[in-house]
Amino acid sequence: MAKKASTTKAKPKTKRSLIIVESPAKAKTITKYLGRKYKMMASVGHLRDLPKSRFGVDIEKDFQPEYIVIKGKGKILTSIKKAAKEADQVFLAPDPDREGEAIAWHIAEELKPINPNIHRVLFNEITKKAVKEAVTHPSEINMDLVNAQQARRVLDRIVGYKISPLLWEKVRRGLSAGRVQSVAVLIICEREKEVLAFVPEEYWSIDATLLGKTPPPFVARLIQKGGEPLKIHNAEESEALTAQLQNASYTITKVEKKERKRNPTPPFITSRMQQEAARKLHFTPKKTMMLAQQLYEGIEIAKEGAVGLISYMRTDSVRISPDFQSESLSWIGGKYGQNYVPDTPNLYKSKKSAQEGHEAIRPTGIDREPELLRADLSHDQFLLYQLIWNRYVASQMRPAIFDVTRVDISAEDLTLRVTGSILKFPGFTIVYSEGKDSNPNASQEPSDAESSLPELSVGDSLTLQQLDPKQHFTQPPPRYNEALLIHDLEDKGIGRPSTYAAIISTIQDRKYVEKREGRFYPTDLGDTVNNLLTENFPGVINVEFTAQMEQALDEVEEGGKDWIESIQKFYDPFAKNLEKAQTEMRDVKREEEPTDIICDKCQKNMVIKWGRFGRFLACPGYPECKNTKEFVEKEGEIKIIAKEIETDIVCKKCGKPMVNKTGRFGRFLACSGYPECKHTEPISLGVKCPEKDCGGDLTEKRSKKGKTFYACGNYPDCKFALWDRPVARPCPQCNTPLMVEKYDRNKGTTVRCRIKECGYVEAEQELRQSA
């Protein structure tokens, strides 16, 4: 008997919602909270942008941008389109800022014909509560944010594509200009001019060591003469005052006691985090933002899985959600005691331009103390998380309280002053204190630094024990480091906190500035390009105009200004400058500056020219004479750098001495018999390669970007390489056969194990043993 055909209908496949983020790490963290009802996909950043090979902006049609799919992103977009077609709705969840909104808009533009049911979701932190709340209450794409991003992108394209070819023609190929980066270089060049033009002024200070009725003795500084502030200009004045003080009697004329509060600093915004990470951790802004992104998107935590540890890191708001603040105050009371909890929650005021929809940078869980996560984080992730956590917790605590005593002492018509400060209640300082940049011209008057004084009363006579006159000289303003540059960029309104890392990284990559001992110096190239741009684009490449443009773009973001109108305001003066510059800009590439250096091959006076690697000395008899020399210029004097330094090493091929040369990728040994003998060797550091059965010597090399690294001389057979200088001795803790040198601004050069997980540091170990 034939079987009956089944009449049961197959259940329709339930459609899942599609959530698109820009990062695979973020996708992994969010998946944990939403489960299988949602399909997660990552765009891996922008999917569309202006074309690389052409201008891509139609100036005649209201600066209309031409967007294309970025090379290499076609497969990702195809996969997203396929998933969108099968989904009941699409949630776009890139970061909650201008770039994130632009990424979401570009994706939406591609998906609308396939699935118009598109929503925008925003979360300030990647936690279960925040993610579920965002998906439950989605919003629409904010076109004001999109237009603000478009305006910045178009402006940067106009400057880059119009000025860069001029620099290629007049200086050298491969150079670039940027609307904001060029102004950052300008600021550094202006500071360098101030430093070089600075004339130090001599001044003196006189300290007196005095003893009251009871010990200990204390030090007071001379501050007034005849009731007026005193400045001691030279040794003669100092000697006269010292003689007067030597014979004077000392009497206390004023004792002022007061309680002083030091309030905690607000939780981090982006720029403050970058500054503090530079001061305390010596991280570049680029590194800080990379680590913060990792902490925000999610880190694998034991027993928890992927967890977002901090709130969104691109913010200019110091606001904290009331719920999280209340939770934090309860935790602080339990951890440190109720006397550390303020009577009312600490509230901080953001700048006018801040987006109050965002929060400050804070931990997502107040109970996730840094030490509890140390095993789950890399060393650098831990340091940054600890900095963020400490800063946030401190911001919610009571002020520190000091008892401050200020004592004025008369010595004839002279007045000396001493200030003592005793910590009465530590408050927030038990967790965190903000770093400070050094001030080379700090006040001559003693500070309120913590120091105790004996019991002193008005009318007490004091005994002079010692006078200490000291000569000083005023110092020039400090050259910029990362923290100072970010502070001044923000203060002047140049760029925005989310762009500082890219600005500082770009101007170094372009070789416009270089970093020496933690400070930025303009290079010859940077100084030359800066002069050309400020001479030819004075109305555009300047601090005031750039700050006004940033303000206008902020207004676009807030919906108060049209983005096309803002670009037109920039373009009109720019176009006039550009037309003039094309005919009048100096042709540095063809300029020759005569010198009194004689060519050692043809006896002509050599000239300074511009080349691929900057200025160099060349013979004007080229092409008949091709003699060139590298040089440095110090205080107007030209000093030639020797190209070849003879060594006592013998060439293995012809027996002639080898010479030390510098090439494109660093120093190397070459036969002095060149061109007849072309034998070369890497310069050994005298350290053997640690790889098993290799036997090669480690050598110093330079990467394509000019960064020094250390690699095995047996390359390509052995590919061992290090960024840190190797030290030929084994780690006493883990026995790895090689240690490395690392430089720290506070500790100097330390020797440590090259295996990060070991963590052995020789200097620290010695300190522990001595303790």
Side-chain angles (χ1 to χ4, degrees), residues 18 20 48 77 80-81 84-85 87 90 92 101 104-120 140-143 146:
L18 173 64
I20 302 169
R48 303 196 313 178
L77 182 56
I80 288 175
K81 283 182 174 179
K85 195 172 183 180
V90 178
L92 302 175
E101 209 69 20
W105 177 74
H106 282 296
I107 295 171
E109 289 294 295
E110 292 286 337
L111 299 187
K112 275 178 186 174
I114 298 165
N115 186 339
N117 195 10
I118 297 172
H119 309 282
R120 176 77 166 111
E140 299 300 316
I141 289 173
N142 183 335
M143 285 309 299
V146 174

Side-chain angles (χ1 to χ4, degrees), residues 6-12:
S6 175
T7 56
T8 308
K9 290 184 178 179
K11 287 184 179 180

Side-chain angles (χ1 to χ4, degrees), residues 260 262 402-403 419-424 447-452:
R260 182 171 63 83
R262 188 197 299 166
F402 295 83
D403 279 336
T419 302
S421 177
I422 301 298
L423 182 64
K424 185 178 181 181
S447 68
D448 289 353
E450 188 174 350
S451 58
S452 59

